[in-house]
Amino acid sequence: MELTPARHLDMLRSMIRIRLFEETAGKLMEAGKMPGFLHLYVGQEAVATGVCEALRVDDYISSTHRGHGHLVAKGGDLSRMMAELMGRAGGYCGGKGGSMHINDLKLGMLGANGIVGAGVPIAVGAGFRNKYLGTDQVSVAFFGDAATNIGAFHEAANMACALHLPVVFICEHNMYGEYTPTEKAMVIADIVDRAAGYGMPGVIVDGMDVLAVHEATLEAVARARRGDGPALVEAKTYRYYNHHGIQNLGLKYRPDAEVLAWKERDPIFSFEQRLLDGGIATRDEMDDVWAGVRATIETAIEFADSSPFPEPEALLTGVYTRSNS
Amino acid sequence: MELTPARHLDMLRSMIRIRLFEETAGKLMEAGKMPGFLHLYVGQEAVATGVCEALRVDDYISSTHRGHGHLVAKGGDLSRMMAELMGRAGGYCGGKGGSMHINDLKLGMLGANGIVGAGVPIAVGAGFRNKYLGTDQVSVAFFGDAATNIGAFHEAANMACALHLPVVFICEHNMYGEYTPTEKAMVIADIVDRAAGYGMPGVIVDGMDVLAVHEATLEAVARARRGDGPALVEAKTYRYYNHHGIQNLGLKYRPDAEVLAWKERDPIFSFEQRLLDGGIATRDEMDDVWAGVRATIETAIEFADSSPFPEPEALLTGVYTRSNS
Amino acid sequence: MSDRTISYVNAFTEAIQLEMEADPDVFIAGEDVGAHGGVFHTFDGIQARFGERRAVDTPISEQAIIGLGIGAALTGLRPIVDLMFMDFVLVAADQIANQAAKLKYMFGGNAKLPLTITTTGGAGLSAAAQHSQSLEAMFCHIPGLMIVYPSNAHDVKGLMAACIREDNPTLMVLHKRMLGQKGIVPEGRYQLPLGVANVARQGSDVTVVSWGKMVNDSLAAADQLAAEGTSCEVVDLRTLSPLDIDTVVTSVRKTNRVIVAHEAVRFGGFGAEVAAQIQEYAFDYLDAPVGRIAAPFTPIPFTPALENIYLPDANKIAAGIRETLARPLLAT
Amino acid sequence: MSDRTISYVNAFTEAIQLEMEADPDVFIAGEDVGAHGGVFHTFDGIQARFGERRAVDTPISEQAIIGLGIGAALTGLRPIVDLMFMDFVLVAADQIANQAAKLKYMFGGNAKLPLTITTTGGAGLSAAAQHSQSLEAMFCHIPGLMIVYPSNAHDVKGLMAACIREDNPTLMVLHKRMLGQKGIVPEGRYQLPLGVANVARQGSDVTVVSWGKMVNDSLAAADQLAAEGTSCEVVDLRTLSPLDIDTVVTSVRKTNRVIVAHEAVRFGGFGAEVAAQIQEYAFDYLDAPVGRIAAPFTPIPFTPALENIYLPDANKIAAGIRETLARPLLAT
Ligand SMILES: Cc1ncc(C[n+]2csc(CCOP(=O)(O)OP(=O)(O)O)c2C)c(N)n1
Ligand SMILES: Cc1ncc(C[n+]2csc(CCOP(=O)(O)OP(=O)(O)O)c2C)c(N)n1
Ligand SMILES: [Mg+2]
Ligand SMILES: [Mg+2]
């Protein structure tokens, strides 16, 4: 199915939203306005975007410690996201969750997660629900390359296959888990080599190419929707910044040349080039997209900045839901 | 390397030791002399035997809830085993561990384990030790088919491969995890399909054929010993009795015909036939083996029966080792 | 039929069945809970009645079992997921304590998590150190969970129904050695409120606070003491978290002496919390320190010869009561 | 150089380095402990000095990390394995509590398990609910483990050395917010005995029992109170399990009033055990109930606006002390 120019611009917009949101968050952190840990998604925008553009609003996703991009791509409100990262009452979690627990249940975004791999079984649970209710919704689990070494991932992948659930597994292979090159943490080069062990198909895509990610996901999602079970998509990608924080070059665990080489293949700029080359969008149209997102980000900063910190009473609320049925 | 007739008889003896030990334990349980849960190994004798005959005394093994066979094959003392299962002071664990925690550290048997999959990381730790000290000892993890669905197995398998440790993984595929057919718990038919996901070789063998198991293990062990890393051996086998206890036919989760078909291929009787057919052993020689083992079992029962229950003081000892260094 | 007598385990199954009939969003999942009906028959007949869709056999994957429950609960179902033995909660501790317990709060209170985790605790079957534990204290310490440990068939049914209907994650613990114990259990649906203790026996000389199987032992001890002329009040907590400390304190203010009895290891056990709160809220009423009858600081031994000594029981509780009563107002 | 001053984290690393020099069987393994030196620099320089063989970077596999330590310890090595954040002990809880803790006993006392598990606990860095917990109480309840939580640089070094030399599994918890705190630390090897508390400050009016970072807060509170004319004795437990209750009780018998201060959630926290034992062993000496200053029953909030209120601190301890002191002998 051919994508319209408008859909192409949607994808570009989604990636730019992620990019600018993250760059802004990084700057605010540097300026001391953003407490806690910040795991930036910059560099990986094509993955969240390519995947989420293949989903419906009522599909579910679960996410990771590096989760802003997933929420943005699923349609998250940048103002409430920014406010959350700044610990404000107007944030998605009222300031109680922060970066690592950001979520939007209405958008089917079941939460970033501070525990590596722990979001994967939760996505499987949502997949179970879809099958149980007989809907055609799917559920997507995002996780990193290094997360595939943890038990929860394994159990969840097998469970989804054994119960034949509509779950799509999206591995973002960015070559590192924290400061350890993934080649030191596993012998295999490709995570898809694990798919056969669960009995599901696996496919590798260029995670810097939003259309490639999108196409592969569309296929996996279609498969899941029609009741043919789980599939794994592995996107080869790269995070520009350090594991957390905003240093990007001069890190002792990875060569600068590597960073620069990946940046050459930047998912946004290469996509722009493609849109230009293909005559799908003009520079002006794309500049408008950037400008529009910049304005949204300004709004988000203002919203967040003017949102109050939560009142002390908020400390004790929300531990238990009070609305029993 | 050709096996001598004597080594063939050793293997036969080992299998018979397991068989008669287990049958005896089952009867004692029926007679109310053996408390707790009893997971009998009968039917799978060729696996423990074929594997352990490929090991040295100073190699390590870790085991499962179905662990008697592994200890017997590693050279365990039937008297101390029987006493342990009967909760006596003369048992391997002084009566404190019982069937599910039986072990003999001097024989490198690092324990049966009540938690499915939990023994696998422990074997990996022993493998780490071997590499760390630069010895050529290997470490073997025994586990069931259904155990490969648990996170600890996955983490351990990957860890052994990532650190390139001398560990051999032995999966005893007996088609069930408790009362659930394994085909309901995983989509794949063969556990070896998981090996590639860790980057190790995997091989399937007939788990009813002690020589086949032995040969495959020899190769995996040799590989590990010479520093070439882990390997997985999957033995297709069957447990004659129920998950625990000694009922064998009339179980609602498996057809009697299936049990009978597997019994046709009994690892002991088929091996005997082979020894006869090949002129490797005579009926008399083999009968002597049976008689010898029967006598050992008698001794074991007597030992266990006359071993006292532990004194009350034993309750509080052994929680902490008192010998700090 | 208000005096119908069924077993603890049947009362449990019945609660599930009635809630499953009433609400299509309720399902069970776990190892061997479907075709086999649970290794302790806790789910007998559920699959036969509701089919494989609503009674799901899972792989041996405790983390994913809880995760399945969390994801399904977050998205609108009302799952019951089973962990077979309480010892296995440790295999899934992250999903229980870091995920299920905390999601609501971390999400700013927006999530609803109607998840019931069922398991069986307790020793006495020679099942050794990894199949016998009472680990409730570990999870009482985690905000966001509710911990329920019923002591009789009637309560099991009402508390299990309440767990299923509860919009927060609950951990429902059955004691293995009580499964066959009979009691009078009404037929229809009913709930007992979570967080409300029950005075199982009225008395005036001393209070015994307990839960789960140890309530039975406490009642038996109270019988022993009654024969000696001592009147014991027995408080059955029913729910450990939230803890109904008011009922306990009311009793202690009346009796002035109290022991807490539980099967778990004493050190760091939930009895410590109960004792700490009693001495805080009833300090001036206490004529003796709060006593604790519990297991010694060892893993659970396999051999009955040691397990019998290990386990707290009615005799030990009775001895504890006598000791508390014998203590002079000033001991030193 | 007996007055050399180094940081808490450096004292920790130095203990490891000295023990690794002294004993070739000691090694470290964990996520990013090697090339990176640990995410909190707790292992800085160890790999540079001892090589990749003895400073091992592992995959993200907490269960297998602990299992690696267990297997290596059972077969003669003396492993130090790291879990980075204390919250992650829940991911590996089975290996810690069902395996490492119990193997010796289940094996009839024949095994030796010299395993040190290191981790960092505590909140205050806006790291939210899954990277800030103090879960020591959960593991104090498990027989077979030793739990150590040092309060200053000097103690870290001596206690870490003792953990490494200990033939039982130890859980050594560092507090994230103390890593940079300096103290006088002798240069050579030394050990502080596990299971022995330290009277960090002598006093006569009230006792404060604490551990980890809260000892600092308790000492600060004691300073505040000193200015008001109150003399506080501060007991630093150093080791929670085994618990040195004698030192605590001796202090309480002198001061007659006591509070326990810890950072973990109060409900079901280890303070409950300390309080329960104090009221048991010093009942007749207590002029007021044992007070507890600890965190409220909520997951740890992300925003500093709430985390600051959440956290117990010197002011809250001081307030608790004042309240305890103000309580009349008979309150009712
Ligand atoms: C269970 C657990 N172990 C360790 C950590 C610390 N940690 C946070 S992110 C991370 C690396 C994850 O790598 P990967 O899955 O590849 O995701 P990436 O950061 O590369 O996006 C680690 C080890 C954690 N949060 N949870
Ligand atoms: C973590 C855990 N989950 C569940 C159990 C209960 N259990 C004991 S044995 C078993 C089945 C194991 O199947 P498999 O690994 O195939 O070994 P088999 O019994 O067939 O030899 C189960 C589920 C357990 N002991 N530990
Ligand atoms: Mg990565
Ligand atoms: Mg099996």
Side-chain angles (χ1 to χ4, degrees):
Chain A
M1 194 181 65
E2 275 297 293
L3 291 174
T4 61
R7 293 279 288 127
H8 280 99
L9 282 180
D10 285 346
M11 290 197 194
L12 180 65
R13 186 176 302 105
S14 170
M15 290 198 288
I16 294 172
R17 279 165 64 93
I18 298 173
R19 174 73 49 98
L20 294 185
F21 180 86
E22 293 292 68
E23 303 276 9
T24 307
K27 282 189 200 115
L28 290 169
M29 196 203 66
E30 269 205 311
K33 285 199 155 192
M34 210 157 259
F37 295 106
L38 202 63
H39 303 94
L40 294 180
Y41 194 73
V42 176
Q44 307 185 192
E45 293 89 346
V47 188
T49 297
V51 170
C52 290
E53 290 287 328
L55 299 180
R56 302 193 314 231
V57 172
D58 66 347
D59 290 327
Y60 295 104
I61 66 172
S62 79
S63 170
T64 70
H65 57 287
R66 199 176 303 289
H68 311 159
H70 306 134
L71 179 49
V72 173
K74 195 72 173 48
D77 174 359
L78 302 196
S79 293
R80 293 181 67 198
M81 287 184 68
M82 199 66 85
E84 186 57 36
L85 267 55
M86 286 167 62
R88 305 307 174 97
Y92 262 112
C93 317
K96 289 178 183 174
S99 164
M100 277 195 284
H101 306 295
I102 205 152
N103 71 92
D104 187 336
L105 298 181
K106 294 209 183 78
L107 293 174
M109 198 290 195
L110 304 177
N113 209 307
I115 303 294
V116 166
V120 188
I122 296 174
V124 171
F128 177 88
R129 173 252 183 218
N130 298 338
K131 184 174 176 190
Y132 185 87
L133 294 181
T135 76
D136 70 346
Q137 290 155 278
V138 304
S139 175
V140 168
F142 285 99
F143 50 89
D145 45 331
T148 67
N149 292 330
I150 206 158
F153 159 76
H154 174 74
E155 295 189 3
N158 182 67
M159 180 84 79
C161 290
L163 302 182
H164 208 64
L165 304 179
V167 180
V168 175
F169 295 88
I170 305 288
C171 179
E172 303 190 61
H173 196 322
N174 62 8
M175 298 169 55
Y176 295 88
E178 284 192 356
Y179 316 100
T180 298
T182 297
E183 65 193 28
K184 288 202 66 173
M186 56 178 80
V187 167
I188 56 170
D190 302 317
I191 305 298
V192 286
D193 291 356
R194 298 197 158 157
Y198 308 111
M200 64 177 155
V203 57
I204 297 176
V205 289
D206 178 358
M208 307 308 267
D209 177 348
V210 67
L211 294 179
V213 173
H214 186 243
E215 213 164 293
T217 308
L218 272 180
E219 204 176 307
V221 166
R223 187 185 144 83
R225 269 203 221 295
R226 67 174 180 259
D228 286 347
L232 171 70
V233 176
E234 173 180 1
K236 304 285 194 187
T237 182
Y238 200 76
R239 61 165 159 77
Y240 290 177
Y241 292 108
N242 200 356
H243 170 60
H244 65 87
I246 64 159
Q247 198 180 344
N248 67 343
L249 296 178
L251 293 165
K252 112 186 142 168
Y253 63 95
R254 68 181 194 185
D256 285 354
E258 181 181 282
V259 182
L260 297 172
W262 280 91
K263 281 189 156 185
E264 287 289 308
R265 307 185 46 237
D266 186 82
I268 296 178
F269 302 134
S270 66
F271 189 53
E272 286 195 328
Q273 195 57 52
R274 204 154 144 188
L275 296 191
L276 281 175
D277 293 349
I280 298 168
T282 66
R283 187 67 261 167
D284 277 357
E285 284 171 319
M286 297 194 298
D287 284 348
D288 281 353
V289 172
W290 283 93
V293 175
R294 273 201 196 93
T296 312
I297 298 275
E298 284 310 313
T299 311
I301 297 175
E302 273 161 41
F303 174 85
D305 248 338
S306 64
S307 174
F309 285 104
E311 295 297 321
E313 301 80 64
L315 176 64
L316 302 178
T317 61
V319 182
Y320 293 92
T321 306
R322 289 296 166 209
S323 62
N324 285 348
S325 32
Chain B
M1 195 181 65
E2 275 296 291
L3 290 172
T4 61
R7 294 279 286 125
H8 280 101
L9 282 179
D10 284 347
M11 291 196 194
L12 180 65
R13 186 177 302 106
S14 170
M15 291 197 288
I16 295 172
R17 281 165 63 92
I18 298 173
R19 173 74 48 99
L20 293 185
F21 180 85
E22 294 291 69
E23 304 275 9
T24 308
K27 280 188 199 114
L28 290 169
M29 197 204 66
E30 269 207 312
K33 286 201 155 192
M34 210 156 261
F37 294 106
L38 202 63
H39 303 94
L40 294 179
Y41 194 74
V42 176
Q44 307 184 194
E45 293 89 346
V47 188
T49 298
V51 169
C52 290
E53 289 287 328
L55 299 179
R56 302 193 312 231
V57 171
D58 66 347
D59 291 325
Y60 296 104
I61 66 172
S62 80
S63 169
T64 70
H65 57 287
R66 199 176 303 290
H68 311 158
H70 306 135
L71 179 50
V72 172
K74 196 72 172 55
D77 175 359
L78 303 195
S79 293
R80 294 181 65 199
M81 287 184 69
M82 199 67 85
E84 186 58 35
L85 267 54
M86 286 167 62
R88 306 306 174 98
Y92 262 111
C93 316
K96 290 179 183 173
S99 165
M100 275 195 284
H101 306 294
I102 204 152
N103 72 93
D104 186 336
L105 298 181
K106 294 210 183 77
L107 293 174
M109 199 289 196
L110 305 177
N113 208 307
I115 302 294
V116 165
V120 188
I122 295 174
V124 171
F128 177 89
R129 174 251 183 219
N130 299 338
K131 183 174 177 192
Y132 185 88
L133 295 180
T135 75
D136 70 344
Q137 291 154 277
V138 304
S139 176
V140 168
F142 286 99
F143 50 90
D145 46 331
T148 67
N149 292 329
I150 205 157
F153 159 75
H154 175 72
E155 295 190 2
N158 181 67
M159 179 84 80
C161 290
L163 302 182
H164 209 64
L165 304 179
V167 180
V168 175
F169 295 88
I170 306 287
C171 179
E172 304 190 61
H173 196 322
N174 62 9
M175 298 169 55
Y176 294 88
E178 285 191 356
Y179 316 100
T180 298
T182 297
E183 65 194 27
K184 288 204 64 173
M186 55 178 82
V187 167
I188 56 171
D190 302 317
I191 305 299
V192 286
D193 291 355
R194 298 199 157 157
Y198 308 111
M200 64 177 157
V203 57
I204 297 176
V205 290
D206 178 357
M208 307 307 268
D209 176 349
V210 68
L211 294 180
V213 173
H214 186 242
E215 215 165 294
T217 309
L218 272 180
E219 205 176 305
V221 165
R223 186 185 146 83
R225 268 203 221 296
R226 66 174 182 261
D228 287 346
L232 171 70
V233 176
E234 173 180 1
K236 304 286 194 185
T237 182
Y238 199 77
R239 61 168 160 74
Y240 290 178
Y241 293 107
N242 201 356
H243 170 60
H244 66 89
I246 65 162
Q247 197 179 344
N248 67 344
L249 296 178
L251 293 165
K252 108 183 143 169
Y253 63 95
R254 67 181 195 186
D256 286 353
E258 180 182 282
V259 183
L260 298 172
W262 279 92
K263 283 188 154 183
E264 287 290 307
R265 306 186 44 238
D266 186 83
I268 296 178
F269 302 135
S270 66
F271 189 53
E272 286 194 329
Q273 194 59 51
R274 204 153 144 187
L275 295 190
L276 282 174
D277 292 349
I280 297 167
T282 65
R283 186 67 259 169
D284 277 358
E285 284 172 320
M286 298 193 297
D287 284 348
D288 281 354
V289 173
W290 283 94
V293 175
R294 273 200 196 92
T296 312
I297 297 277
E298 284 311 313
T299 311
I301 298 175
E302 273 162 40
F303 174 85
D305 247 339
S306 63
S307 176
F309 284 102
E311 295 297 321
E313 300 81 65
L315 176 65
L316 301 178
T317 62
V319 183
Y320 293 93
T321 307
R322 290 294 167 210
S323 63
N324 286 349
S325 31
Chain C
M1 291 265 285
S2 66
D3 55 352
R4 182 188 59 139
T5 289
I6 65 172
S7 69
Y8 185 91
V9 64
N10 289 347
F12 174 79
T13 316
E14 190 169 280
I16 295 173
Q17 190 172 305
L18 290 172
E19 296 310 316
M20 286 181 72
E21 272 166 15
D23 183 350
D25 290 340
V26 179
F27 69 93
I28 63 167
E31 295 160 20
D32 285 313
V33 300
H36 193 74
V39 300
F40 292 111
H41 303 291
T42 38
F43 302 98
D44 260 358
I46 300 283
Q47 190 179 76
R49 166 128 199 189
F50 297 97
E52 290 192 34
R53 174 174 161 273
R54 296 184 69 191
V56 182
D57 282 319
T58 67
I60 308 179
S61 308
E62 278 78 7
Q63 296 188 71
I65 290 169
I66 303 296
L68 182 112
I70 294 171
L74 263 184
T75 55
L77 300 185
R78 200 166 276 279
I80 301 167
V81 292
D82 184 63
L83 288 181
M84 199 184 297
F85 283 82
M86 190 169 202
D87 315 71
F88 307 166
V89 295
L90 295 172
V91 183
D94 171 64
Q95 288 286 327
I96 299 171
N98 279 336
Q99 311 298 330
K102 295 181 172 53
L103 285 185
K104 293 157 294 163
Y105 189 81
M106 298 188 306
F107 287 6
N110 297 319
K112 204 173 89 171
L113 213 71
L115 170 67
T116 303
I117 302 169
T118 57
T119 192
T120 60
L125 300 179
S126 296
Q130 293 173 340
H131 284 73
S132 305
Q133 292 170 89
S134 296
L135 297 173
E136 59 271 19
M138 294 178 82
F139 293 87
C140 287
H141 188 43
I142 303 292
L145 300 176
M146 295 183 171
I147 318 293
V148 185
Y149 208 150
S151 72
N152 62 69
H154 170 269
D155 288 8
V156 163
K157 183 170 168 189
L159 291 168
M160 182 60 188
C163 285
I164 298 171
R165 298 315 309 166
E166 172 62 47
D167 277 349
N168 293 289
T170 53
L171 178 62
M172 158 59 75
V173 190
L174 302 181
H175 196 291
K176 298 181 202 89
R177 276 199 295 157
M178 291 209 301
L179 296 173
Q181 185 187 288
K182 304 252 160 131
I184 293 173
V185 177
E187 300 211 349
R189 288 175 78 195
Y190 63 93
Q191 291 184 35
L192 294 176
L194 303 181
V196 178
N198 177 41
V199 179
R201 178 184 177 123
Q202 308 260 359
S204 52
D205 296 331
V206 60
T207 301
V208 184
V209 181
S210 193
W211 55 90
K213 175 174 175 303
M214 291 301 281
V215 173
N216 291 8
D217 297 82
S218 300
L219 290 169
D223 282 342
Q224 284 186 31
L225 271 293
E228 298 168 20
T230 298
S231 162
C232 301
E233 181 144 310
V234 176
V235 177
D236 177 353
L237 290 182
R238 284 182 172 164
T239 310
L240 306 184
S241 176
L243 171 64
D244 177 5
I245 194 66
D246 290 348
T247 298
V248 174
V249 166
T250 301
S251 175
V252 174
R253 289 191 177 188
K254 179 175 72 177
T255 62
N256 309 118
R257 294 180 190 252
V258 56
I259 67 166
V260 188
H262 61 65
E263 187 181 309
V265 162
R266 173 186 155 120
F267 189 76
F270 190 68
E273 179 62 36
V274 178
Q277 291 202 29
I278 292 173
Q279 65 88 37
E280 181 172 357
Y281 300 121
F283 186 73
D284 296 324
Y285 296 86
L286 283 175
D287 290 344
V290 185
R292 287 188 285 162
I293 298 298
F297 201 55
T298 88
I300 295 150
F302 162 70
T303 182
L306 298 180
E307 195 182 29
N308 289 338
I309 315 173
Y310 170 89
L311 278 173
D313 60 15
N315 288 334
K316 286 180 190 165
I317 295 171
I321 295 171
R322 284 186 205 103
E323 203 183 306
T324 295
L325 288 169
R327 194 184 191 278
L329 271 182
L330 257 188
T332 39
Chain D
M1 292 267 282
S2 65
D3 55 353
R4 183 188 58 139
T5 290
I6 63 173
S7 69
Y8 185 91
V9 65
N10 288 347
F12 175 79
T13 316
E14 190 169 281
I16 295 174
Q17 190 172 306
L18 290 172
E19 296 310 316
M20 286 180 73
E21 271 165 15
D23 183 349
D25 289 341
V26 178
F27 69 94
I28 63 167
E31 295 160 20
D32 284 313
V33 300
H36 193 73
V39 299
F40 292 111
H41 303 291
T42 38
F43 302 99
D44 259 359
I46 300 282
Q47 189 178 77
R49 165 127 200 189
F50 297 99
E52 289 191 34
R53 175 174 160 272
R54 296 183 69 192
V56 182
D57 282 318
T58 67
I60 308 179
S61 307
E62 278 77 9
Q63 296 189 71
I65 290 169
I66 303 295
L68 182 110
I70 295 171
L74 263 184
T75 56
L77 300 184
R78 201 166 276 279
I80 301 167
V81 293
D82 183 64
L83 288 182
M84 200 184 298
F85 284 82
M86 190 169 201
D87 315 70
F88 307 166
V89 296
L90 295 173
V91 183
D94 171 64
Q95 288 286 325
I96 298 171
N98 279 337
Q99 310 297 331
K102 296 182 171 52
L103 285 184
K104 293 157 293 163
Y105 188 83
M106 296 188 306
F107 287 7
N110 296 320
K112 204 172 87 171
L113 213 71
L115 170 67
T116 304
I117 303 169
T118 57
T119 193
T120 60
L125 300 178
S126 296
Q130 292 173 342
H131 283 73
S132 306
Q133 291 170 89
S134 296
L135 297 173
E136 60 270 18
M138 293 178 83
F139 293 87
C140 287
H141 188 44
I142 303 291
L145 300 176
M146 295 182 172
I147 318 294
V148 185
Y149 207 151
S151 72
N152 62 68
H154 170 270
D155 288 8
V156 163
K157 183 170 167 188
L159 291 169
M160 182 60 188
C163 285
I164 298 172
R165 299 315 309 166
E166 173 63 46
D167 278 349
N168 292 289
T170 53
L171 178 62
M172 157 61 75
V173 190
L174 302 181
H175 196 290
K176 298 183 203 89
R177 277 199 295 158
M178 291 209 302
L179 297 173
Q181 184 186 288
K182 305 251 159 133
I184 293 174
V185 178
E187 298 210 352
R189 289 174 78 195
Y190 63 93
Q191 291 184 36
L192 294 176
L194 304 181
V196 178
N198 177 42
V199 178
R201 177 184 177 124
Q202 309 260 359
S204 52
D205 296 331
V206 61
T207 300
V208 184
V209 180
S210 194
W211 55 90
K213 176 175 174 300
M214 291 301 281
V215 173
N216 291 8
D217 296 83
S218 300
L219 290 170
D223 282 342
Q224 284 186 31
L225 272 293
E228 298 168 19
T230 298
S231 162
C232 301
E233 180 144 309
V234 177
V235 177
D236 176 354
L237 290 181
R238 284 182 172 164
T239 310
L240 306 185
S241 175
L243 170 66
D244 177 4
I245 194 65
D246 290 348
T247 297
V248 173
V249 166
T250 302
S251 176
V252 174
R253 289 190 177 190
K254 181 175 71 176
T255 61
N256 309 119
R257 293 181 190 251
V258 55
I259 67 167
V260 188
H262 61 64
E263 188 182 309
V265 161
R266 174 187 154 120
F267 189 77
F270 190 66
E273 179 62 35
V274 178
Q277 291 203 27
I278 291 173
Q279 65 87 36
E280 180 170 358
Y281 299 123
F283 186 74
D284 296 324
Y285 295 86
L286 283 176
D287 291 343
V290 185
R292 288 187 285 162
I293 299 296
F297 201 55
T298 88
I300 294 150
F302 161 70
T303 182
L306 297 180
E307 195 181 29
N308 290 338
I309 317 174
Y310 171 89
L311 278 173
D313 60 14
N315 289 335
K316 287 181 189 163
I317 296 171
I321 295 171
R322 285 188 204 103
E323 201 183 309
T324 295
L325 288 169
R327 192 184 193 280
L329 272 180
L330 258 188
T332 40

